[in-house]
Amino acid sequence: MVALTTRPAVPPASSPAGAPVRRLPALRHLGPNWYASVMGTAIVATAGAGLPWQPPGMRTALTVVWALSALLLGVLLAARALHWAHHRDQARAHLLDASMAPFYGCLAMALLAVGGATLVVGSDWIGVRAAVAVDLVLFTAGTVTGVLAAVAVPYLMVTRHRPPLADASPVWLLPVVAPMVSAALGPLLVPHLPAGQLRQTLLYCCYGLFGLSLLGALLMLPLVLGRLLTGGPPALALTPTLFLVLGPLGQSTTAVHQLAEAAQGVVPGPYPGGFATLAVLYGVPVMGFAALWLGLAGALVVRALRRGLGFSLTWWGFTFPVGTCVTGLAGLGSRTGLGLFDLAATGLYALLVAAWLVACAGTARRLVTGRLPAPPA
């Protein structure tokens, strides 16, 4: 994905033994924001598999997209490891940068998204048993990473970054949204665990992650909306990040649906019925607000395009958040039987695929020409 070279851009440093340390200048500006490409690719496979209409050949195409997301994840994990090994100063600078540190939530979500897609569609190729094993590893790693990011990034913002409210951005949502992805994808593993305590423990832990993420997002969202109302539209290059607000909305709707599905036969008494009721009572109003935000963000993106918005990695923000709304609407459609939700999910999925193709083409073109990875403007 990234061309590697050993020609140093700066004079080579020396190791304690005096041997020169090899540098990889092409990786110097490879930040954690690159994991958004993995998330955006994996959600195309997962969201497509949940649509009510499945044209011939679609399942095979979705499995190919899953394989691509798994490949991208492996390449990026290796490249980021090299980044930390050869450009540790830049990696630390990313952690101390209030605009870059929140993207460490993308690492967790990339692990979770690929793991979930492996179980949903990847099992067609590798088998259910192998898919469960892969998802279990990626889910565990992604959940631990996501909870750490949800704590560590706000801690750094409080103690080191201290950004002014005028800099409030939807990017701030990324660390706190990561546990919601665990809450939405964890229930897929529940039927594959031994009956009894293990299933119940995972289910209730996912509900806890749901609350952790939901309350964190509710604290951040007023800052984002307040910044827009008092400070005006964001910079042109950052306008696509407005779509990130759809992430906690769609993912939380997906989570309550998946949790209600997993609760059947796992928790006793009246709780499964209550979980199913909550999925509708929560999901419908939240999707209503998502429609409002989609209209507002879409209008601001059109405005930015008219003013010269060009492609950048922020365009990957058009993919994963929209995909979570697709899965949320598809869940509501299956639970209520209303064709309106199915139609909305299908329409948004078409938008998701179009955005993914544009983001893939733009990223690939700039990788080939050497314009990426690049330092932020």
Side-chain angles (χ1 to χ4, degrees):
M1 181 174 179
V2 179
L4 303 182
T5 177
T6 57
R7 186 177 63 185
V10 295
S14 297
S15 67
V21 178
R22 299 176 67 193
R23 297 294 186 183
L24 298 173
L27 297 181
R28 180 160 181 79
H29 299 292
L30 186 75
N33 54 326
W34 278 79
Y35 286 111
S37 63
V38 179
M39 299 158 49
T41 302
I43 197 67
V44 172
T46 305
L51 292 178
W53 299 293
Q54 298 286 320
M58 183 172 178
R59 185 76 181 188
T60 301
L62 296 179
T63 311
V64 171
V65 173
W66 156 76
L68 176 61
S69 71
L71 176 63
L72 287 174
L73 178 62
V75 170
L76 274 176
L77 287 174
R80 285 285 296 164
L82 291 172
H83 178 270
W84 270 95
H86 294 273
H87 300 287
R88 193 165 299 173
D89 60 325
Q90 186 65 33
R92 289 174 177 171
H94 287 159
L95 281 174
L96 299 179
D97 184 353
S99 63
M100 185 61 73
F103 284 101
Y104 273 90
C106 290
L107 167 59
M109 289 187 280
L111 295 168
L112 293 164
V114 173
T118 301
L119 191 55
V120 172
V121 297
S123 56
D124 292 355
W125 284 4
I126 66 175
V128 174
R129 185 173 182 179
V132 169
V134 171
D135 188 23
L136 187 60
V137 171
L138 293 179
F139 174 79
T140 303
T143 299
V144 171
T145 304
V147 172
L148 288 176
V151 174
V153 174
Y155 173 82
L156 287 174
M157 294 177 72
V158 171
T159 60
R160 298 294 298 270
H161 303 158
R162 297 183 183 177
L165 289 179
D167 290 345
S169 163
V171 172
W172 291 7
L173 290 167
L174 291 174
V176 297
V177 171
M180 187 66 77
V181 181
S182 295
L185 296 177
L188 299 177
L189 284 168
V190 170
H192 300 283
L193 296 180
Q197 288 284 322
L198 283 179
R199 289 186 181 182
Q200 293 182 10
T201 299
L202 178 57
L203 185 71
Y204 283 118
C205 282
C206 287
Y207 264 110
L209 292 168
F210 170 83
L212 181 161
S213 182
L214 178 64
L215 294 178
L218 289 177
L219 292 174
M220 292 291 188
L221 281 174
L223 300 178
V224 175
L225 183 57
R227 158 65 184 82
L228 287 176
L229 294 177
T230 59
L236 289 183
L238 296 179
T239 305
T241 63
L242 293 174
F243 272 65
L244 297 180
V245 174
L246 295 174
L249 305 177
Q251 198 66 276
S252 61
T253 302
T254 303
V256 291
H257 168 69
Q258 295 290 0
L259 287 165
E261 286 288 303
Q264 302 297 324
V266 174
V267 294
Y271 296 116
F275 294 158
T277 303
L278 175 64
V280 176
L281 295 182
Y282 174 88
V284 175
V286 170
M287 283 292 95
F289 181 72
L292 167 67
W293 192 268
L294 180 62
L296 173 62
L300 289 171
V301 168
V302 171
R303 175 184 179 275
L305 288 171
R306 290 177 175 176
R307 285 162 172 76
L309 171 64
F311 179 82
S312 67
L313 286 179
T314 58
W315 283 44
W316 283 101
F318 294 135
T319 56
F320 190 79
V322 173
T324 66
C325 291
V326 173
T327 56
L329 288 168
L332 286 174
S334 67
R335 190 163 294 279
T336 62
L338 291 178
L340 175 64
F341 291 126
D342 294 336
L343 184 62
T346 303
L348 271 186
Y349 186 73
L351 176 63
L352 167 64
V353 172
W356 176 70
L357 290 173
V358 171
C360 285
T363 304
R365 184 166 56 249
R366 281 155 181 79
L367 279 171
V368 171
T369 58
R371 295 165 62 185
L372 286 176

